[in-house]
Amino acid sequence: MEDIISLAKRRGFVYPASEIYGGLSNAWDYGPLGTILKNNIKNEFIRFFTILRDDIVLLDSAIIQNPLVWKASGHIEHFTDPLTDCLSCKKRYRADQLIEDTLSTNVEGLSTEDMTKIIEENNIKCPECGGKLTKVSFFNLMFVTHIGPIEDVTNIAFLRPETAQGIFTNFLNITKSTRVNLPFGVLQIGKAFRNEITAGNFIFRTLEFEQMEIEYFVDPKDSDKAFEELFEYNSRWYDHIGIKKENIKYVELSDTERAHYSKKTIDIYFKFPFGFKELQSFANRSDYDLRKHSEYSSKDLVIFDEKSKKNIYPYVIEPSIGLDRLFLALLINGFCIEDVSGEERIVLKLSHRISPYQVAIFPLVGKGESLNLSRRIYDDLKLKFRCIYDMGGSIGKRYRRQDEIGTPKCITIDPKSLEDNMVTIRDRDTMKQDRVKIDKLSEYLNQCFI
Ligand code: GAP
């Protein structure tokens, strides 16, 4: 993790937020390269799930919604974590995690009284200072704010803890304003906020993060089949962006582990340096949300089914992934330190589909016709590929710089290029070099980036 955090800062992927003021725990900013990488992941996710299929549409809903949304969804009542404090050093812990870490037992679904009893009977103390722990109580994870100049209970609002609810509340708008019919999905990417008791591990668990969620609406009787089909397509997403198979594992949740709305959930775990941890949750949310919002809003969130000629409440299959967590997974998945003739080479093996740049262009000669040729090649290629132009330092140094940020191909224009109209293309992973005709460059690169 230290290598990854250091690379992320050194190369402008991720910085500690408000660093000049001493930072803020669990808040991070994305730098120039991080922003490009994040946008590339989002764009590729949208391409994979909407353009390469034709049954999923897009939405961008508000972060602050009517508070009734969170009452109907169950977040005000259920979106809680069990909290215990150290009486001596005042450090806060998630009681379930503390018990699980200490006793290796799953306490999902237990009451606060039961967890307090387990802590007392097993003499579990503060891991930091050995102090006595308080009784366990539930703590709601939603960030509260107030609308308008005066703070009181009448103008309370919440920052959304998931993007999903904006999709449910727009269900009628979407079915009425588009030509969607069951089965269809709605994809939304956006910020979510959770007042986590124990955040940490770099950008793995933060207070503010982005989710990429799809709510896929299906006829209830087809929901098991739809779950399997979308799950299979979703698994291909990981191949598509180059996540190694051995870094992924699937864990089906038991009845007590599932969220209150879920009929079936499979969590997709990634092998982080601190163990296999959840990267994505994949759930059958049944008709829970649409029925709840119908009840609270008195609007029937149903769709007319042409086959049965009836109004139905569809079931919802939900793949939900944290963009920041996927970003971290991709850095870890691609990070390699290689030995090249006794020298260390740091390489970020990112798929060309998401790497910040796909092609780096290196003029070897910094003046005259050769430089003009380099510039012409860059100006032409940047219309078709994500390109960077780098004139600084020895060619070896330029290769290392691009290796570290994951650029798959580097093109060098040397003095001979003016004579033979050819350039050298070097591959990031194999370091193999090819000599390619300048007028065949786009064709060559297109072949590489299928
Ligand atoms: N709508 C369903 C939902 O929100 P979740 O399992 O609570 O389900 C989905 O969250 C994903 O969001 C997680 O798998 C994770 O990738 C990401 N996520 C959740 N909390 C996070 C946090 N505090 N920081 C970063 N990512 C988080």
Side-chain angles (χ1 to χ4, degrees), residues 226-253:
F227 186 99
E228 275 173 34
E229 282 172 6
L230 193 58
F231 191 84
E232 197 276 325
Y233 190 78
N234 184 72
S235 308
R236 278 196 259 151
W237 159 248
Y238 291 108
D239 275 348
H240 185 74
I241 52 168
I243 300 255
K244 296 173 200 149
K245 284 212 161 32
E246 65 269 26
N247 283 340
I248 291 281
K249 94 177 176 192
Y250 303 108
V251 178
E252 179 153 5
L253 302 194

Side-chain angles (χ1 to χ4, degrees), residues 16 50 55 65 104 106 177 197 255 271 273 284 338 362 399:
T50 70
D55 55 352
Q65 300 275 347
S104 302
N106 185 351
S177 61
I197 301 168
D255 290 354
K271 194 176 178 190
N284 178 345
E338 293 178 354
F362 302 157
Y399 279 147

Side-chain angles (χ1 to χ4, degrees), residues 26 75 79 141 161-165 168 192-196 198-200 202-215 253 259 261 265 267-268 272 277-283 285 318-326:
N26 308 307
H75 281 84
F79 199 58
L141 269 73
E162 62 170 12
T163 59
Q165 295 305 322
F168 301 129
F193 303 82
R194 295 185 188 178
N195 202 352
E196 300 279 2
T198 47
F202 192 33
I203 51 173
F204 176 80
R205 193 184 302 282
T206 47
L207 310 178
E208 168 184 345
F209 54 98
E210 269 185 274
Q211 284 188 319
M212 307 200 289
E213 298 200 295
I214 298 170
E215 307 303 321
L253 302 194
Y261 50 72
T265 299
D267 278 348
I268 294 142
F272 291 97
K277 298 278 171 205
E278 180 187 326
L279 172 61
Q280 182 179 28
S281 80
F282 196 104
R285 285 182 86 123
E318 181 197 61
S320 169
I321 184 162
L323 172 58
D324 312 73
R325 223 173 257 193
L326 178 59

Side-chain angles (χ1 to χ4, degrees), residues 210-387:
E210 269 185 274
Q211 284 188 319
M212 307 200 289
E213 298 200 295
I214 298 170
E215 307 303 321
Y216 194 73
F217 299 96
V218 298
D219 188 320
K221 66 177 168 17
D222 301 332
S223 74
D224 291 343
K225 191 162 158 271
F227 186 99
E228 275 173 34
E229 282 172 6
L230 193 58
F231 191 84
E232 197 276 325
Y233 190 78
N234 184 72
S235 308
R236 278 196 259 151
W237 159 248
Y238 291 108
D239 275 348
H240 185 74
I241 52 168
I243 300 255
K244 296 173 200 149
K245 284 212 161 32
E246 65 269 26
N247 283 340
I248 291 281
K249 94 177 176 192
Y250 303 108
V251 178
E252 179 153 5
L253 302 194
S254 67
D255 290 354
T256 53
E257 288 168 330
R258 283 199 303 270
H260 59 279
Y261 50 72
S262 167
K263 264 178 79 84
K264 173 175 174 141
T265 299
I266 300 180
D267 278 348
I268 294 142
Y269 277 41
F270 179 82
K271 194 176 178 190
F272 291 97
F274 40 91
F276 267 106
K277 298 278 171 205
E278 180 187 326
L279 172 61
Q280 182 179 28
S281 80
F282 196 104
N284 178 345
R285 285 182 86 123
S286 70
D287 53 5
Y288 178 90
D289 302 271
L290 291 182
R291 280 193 188 272
K292 281 284 175 197
H293 286 300
S294 300
E295 188 188 322
Y296 278 77
S297 67
S298 307
K299 308 268 184 323
D300 263 340
L301 305 191
V302 290
I303 187 165
F304 185 71
D305 178 41
E306 289 295 342
K307 275 191 234 145
S308 63
K309 304 281 175 218
K310 278 191 200 147
N311 278 332
I312 55 174
Y313 288 99
Y315 269 27
V316 177
I317 312 299
E318 181 197 61
S320 169
I321 184 162
L323 172 58
D324 312 73
R325 223 173 257 193
L326 178 59
F327 182 107
L328 176 59
L330 284 162
L331 292 189
I332 292 163
N333 185 76
F335 184 84
C336 302
I337 300 181
E338 293 178 354
D339 179 71
V340 182
S341 320
E343 253 190 59
E344 188 179 81
R345 179 174 93 112
I346 297 179
V347 201
L348 198 54
K349 294 189 177 170
L350 294 174
S351 156
H352 64 84
R353 298 199 167 102
I354 46 133
S355 57
Y357 302 111
Q358 295 170 309
V359 186
I361 289 128
F362 302 157
L364 208 58
V365 182
K367 57 181 187 323
E369 259 319 289
S370 184
L371 186 65
N372 293 343
L373 175 64
S374 305
R375 195 71 218 184
R376 275 204 304 280
I377 291 175
Y378 173 60
D379 286 341
D380 175 46
L381 291 181
K382 76 177 175 187
L383 300 176
K384 303 165 199 153
F385 307 98
R386 293 189 298 276
C387 294

Side-chain angles (χ1 to χ4, degrees), residues 99 109-119:
I99 297 171
L110 287 193
S111 67
T112 50
E113 289 79 19
D114 286 342
M115 280 186 259
T116 306
K117 213 164 144 206
I118 294 178
I119 289 180

